[in-house]
Amino acid sequence: MPDIILEKFINNYLNINSAIITLVTIGLITIITIVAYSLERKISRSSPFYKRITVHLLEGLVLGFSMIMLEQIFFILNSGSINNGWLYANAQLTILLYCMYLIRNKITLIINILMPILYYHSMNLPRLNNKDLPLFAISYIFLIIIVSFIYYQTENLENSEWKYLIMQVLFGLSWWIILWVDHSFPTIEILIMLIVFLIYMSIIRFCAKKLQDTMLNYDDLQVQVNYDELTGIRNRANLDKTSIELYKTYYSEKAVPLTIAMFDIDHFKEFNDQYGHSTGDEVLKHVAHTMEREMFLTDTKGQLFRFGGEEFIIIFRGKKPAECVPIITDLRNTLVNTPLILNGQKLDVSISFGISKLIEEDSSFEDLFNRVDKYLYASKNSGRNRLTVEGFTYNFDDLK
């Protein structure tokens, strides 16, 4: 008997069709991972409801498309028959469970809960007279509990290999009992199919982890390319790329203003000369972090960049220079009222600003930068700790 089971296992599972379905499943998992990863980066908990639900629906559509694609490929491999359906079922269960871990939204939860009902044999009315109906109902309820638990406890499960394995076993067991009610195959095969399902999940999890690690490495590279290593804010390269896009957008949209503010640290060279370059680095970080934190807390809608050296840029979309003056004044006041304490010594830091908006005469973003830079130096030449807006210089103390 064991020899027969082993021979059947080898014939059914170790063949070319099994290899193809496995590779197709890995390919679909890769597509799902890339799409989900790209979509989830576009939203956060603070995103509008319509935006979040749109992303979640798209993720659900990708999951549904993957299930249909897997079904079509399976039927092509089997010339339209349902032979070796266990292979197709295990592949589908693998995708369903994987998406529960990857795509953490209620759309995937609903799809997992409804799948036994959407599964065509489950709609057969003769089942109502089936003596195994209670077993189906119990297994279905058990599946709902397991799926819901996985959805709400994903992070805890991922942190424990044993919990993760137990949830896989319970998920696969409840599904194969449901399938057994319809097809009445030998009960020993539930165990065999469950083992195959766990092997599938191990393969998929390994491949998915490698894919996610690759994406994280790509993110790290993106951070290195687009963010300043010292201060952690956007760098000159990111500014250059952003400015090209902004010019195309806002130059054609005459009714929507775009304002640029450039500032630098007053007497920065003295920090380096008197205290050393390490202190100068701390001053740069202090200014960048204070400004970025305050911009986030007050929701200014501005973007902060390190332009180079001790110079910084803030881009304000949809705001006129006059609207930016009180924002910049508050940012400056926060910085002045938050001195840097370094090695027990208090270091007072002030900044000078130049502000201008994109105008029709600007042939490129470079024209705007040059004008803002000129206004910044007008503030510095007027005694520093000042603000020049479209050629007019003000003392910050007079703007309180």
Side-chain angles (χ1 to χ4, degrees), residues 133-326:
L133 178 60
L135 185 56
F136 170 84
I138 293 172
S139 299
Y140 183 46
I141 294 171
F142 184 65
L143 176 66
I144 293 175
I145 295 172
I146 293 300
V147 166
S148 301
F149 183 81
I150 292 172
Y151 175 77
Y152 289 106
Q153 297 293 323
T154 299
E155 293 185 3
N156 292 333
L157 295 174
E158 286 182 337
N159 294 330
S160 172
E161 290 295 330
W162 282 108
K163 290 180 181 178
Y164 189 88
L165 178 61
I166 290 171
M167 283 301 104
Q168 290 182 56
V169 170
L170 295 177
F171 178 87
L173 182 62
S174 57
W175 253 109
W176 276 111
I177 291 176
I178 289 174
L179 295 171
W180 173 78
V181 171
D182 280 320
H183 298 287
S184 300
F185 44 75
T187 53
I188 186 64
E189 291 196 12
I190 292 180
L191 178 60
I192 296 174
M193 293 170 182
L194 188 57
I195 292 172
V196 173
F197 170 66
L198 295 177
I199 293 173
Y200 253 73
M201 281 300 302
S202 298
I203 296 172
I204 295 300
R205 192 180 184 194
F206 174 80
C207 295
K209 190 175 187 308
K210 292 297 181 183
L211 178 62
Q212 290 172 354
D213 288 344
T214 301
M215 289 181 171
L216 289 175
N217 290 335
Y218 174 76
D219 270 357
D220 289 341
L221 179 61
Q222 287 291 91
V223 169
Q224 293 175 21
V225 170
N226 292 296
Y227 289 82
D228 181 55
E229 183 178 2
L230 177 64
T231 62
I233 64 174
R234 295 174 179 85
N235 60 17
R236 177 67 179 270
N238 189 275
L239 175 63
D240 291 341
K241 182 173 63 176
T242 302
S243 63
I244 295 172
E245 299 170 356
L246 288 175
Y247 183 79
K248 291 179 181 178
T249 301
Y250 284 88
Y251 188 76
S252 60
E253 294 290 337
K254 309 294 184 184
V256 183
L258 178 72
T259 297
I260 300 296
M262 177 183 285
F263 69 91
D264 78 359
I265 302 168
D266 295 332
H267 306 293
F268 180 72
K269 186 174 183 299
E270 295 181 10
F271 287 112
N272 283 328
D273 293 344
Q274 187 173 349
Y275 302 105
H277 287 280
S278 60
T279 297
D281 288 347
E282 291 302 319
V283 171
L284 286 169
K285 289 191 286 186
H286 171 67
V287 170
H289 297 168
T290 301
M291 300 293 275
E292 188 173 45
R293 182 182 67 249
E294 188 66 15
M295 288 170 63
F296 173 77
L297 293 175
T298 55
D299 195 22
T300 61
K301 308 296 185 185
Q303 279 185 299
L304 178 65
F305 301 81
R306 185 181 177 191
F307 190 66
E310 70 272 24
E311 291 185 331
F312 297 82
I313 289 280
I314 304 177
I315 296 177
F316 293 101
R317 292 175 171 85
K319 291 185 182 296
K320 299 177 181 178
E323 297 175 289
C324 297
V325 169

Side-chain angles (χ1 to χ4, degrees), residues 39 45 52 54 70 92 96 115 150 160 204 265:
L39 290 174
R45 291 183 179 180
R52 284 184 283 118
T54 300
L70 186 63
Q92 279 203 324
L96 283 171
M115 273 305 294
I150 292 172
S160 172
I204 295 300
I265 302 168

Side-chain angles (χ1 to χ4, degrees), residues 12-220:
N12 287 342
Y13 290 90
L14 302 180
N15 55 50
I16 187 64
N17 282 2
S18 299
I20 293 174
I21 287 294
T22 301
L23 292 175
V24 168
T25 304
I26 293 173
L28 290 173
I29 289 292
T30 302
I31 293 172
I32 292 171
T33 301
I34 293 173
V35 172
Y37 184 82
S38 301
L39 290 174
E40 289 294 333
R41 293 178 65 183
K42 298 180 182 298
I43 60 171
S44 64
R45 291 183 179 180
S46 59
S47 299
F49 174 76
Y50 74 88
K51 190 173 183 179
R52 284 184 283 118
I53 195 64
T54 300
V55 167
H56 294 166
L57 285 172
L58 287 173
E59 290 172 335
L61 287 174
V62 172
L63 172 56
F65 170 80
S66 300
M67 301 293 279
I68 294 172
M69 180 66 68
L70 186 63
E71 179 184 43
Q72 294 304 310
I73 292 173
F74 174 78
F75 281 122
I76 290 172
L77 290 174
N78 287 274
S79 303
S81 75
I82 197 68
N83 292 332
N84 299 326
W86 42 264
L87 180 64
Y88 163 59
N90 266 330
Q92 279 203 324
L93 297 188
T94 301
I95 291 178
L96 283 171
L97 182 56
Y98 175 77
C99 287
M100 282 292 296
Y101 287 109
L102 176 70
I103 308 174
R104 302 172 189 178
N105 64 55
K106 288 186 171 61
I107 302 299
T108 54
L109 174 63
I110 292 171
I111 291 175
N112 267 272
I113 290 175
L114 291 181
M115 273 305 294
I117 304 301
L118 298 175
Y119 171 63
Y120 73 97
H121 274 289
S122 299
M123 303 305 294
N124 284 351
L125 293 180
R127 172 200 294 278
L128 297 176
N129 298 319
N130 192 324
K131 62 181 176 61
D132 295 317
L133 178 60
L135 185 56
F136 170 84
I138 293 172
S139 299
Y140 183 46
I141 294 171
F142 184 65
L143 176 66
I144 293 175
I145 295 172
I146 293 300
V147 166
S148 301
F149 183 81
I150 292 172
Y151 175 77
Y152 289 106
Q153 297 293 323
T154 299
E155 293 185 3
N156 292 333
L157 295 174
E158 286 182 337
N159 294 330
S160 172
E161 290 295 330
W162 282 108
K163 290 180 181 178
Y164 189 88
L165 178 61
I166 290 171
M167 283 301 104
Q168 290 182 56
V169 170
L170 295 177
F171 178 87
L173 182 62
S174 57
W175 253 109
W176 276 111
I177 291 176
I178 289 174
L179 295 171
W180 173 78
V181 171
D182 280 320
H183 298 287
S184 300
F185 44 75
T187 53
I188 186 64
E189 291 196 12
I190 292 180
L191 178 60
I192 296 174
M193 293 170 182
L194 188 57
I195 292 172
V196 173
F197 170 66
L198 295 177
I199 293 173
Y200 253 73
M201 281 300 302
S202 298
I203 296 172
I204 295 300
R205 192 180 184 194
F206 174 80
C207 295
K209 190 175 187 308
K210 292 297 181 183
L211 178 62
Q212 290 172 354
D213 288 344
T214 301
M215 289 181 171
L216 289 175
N217 290 335
Y218 174 76
D219 270 357
D220 289 341

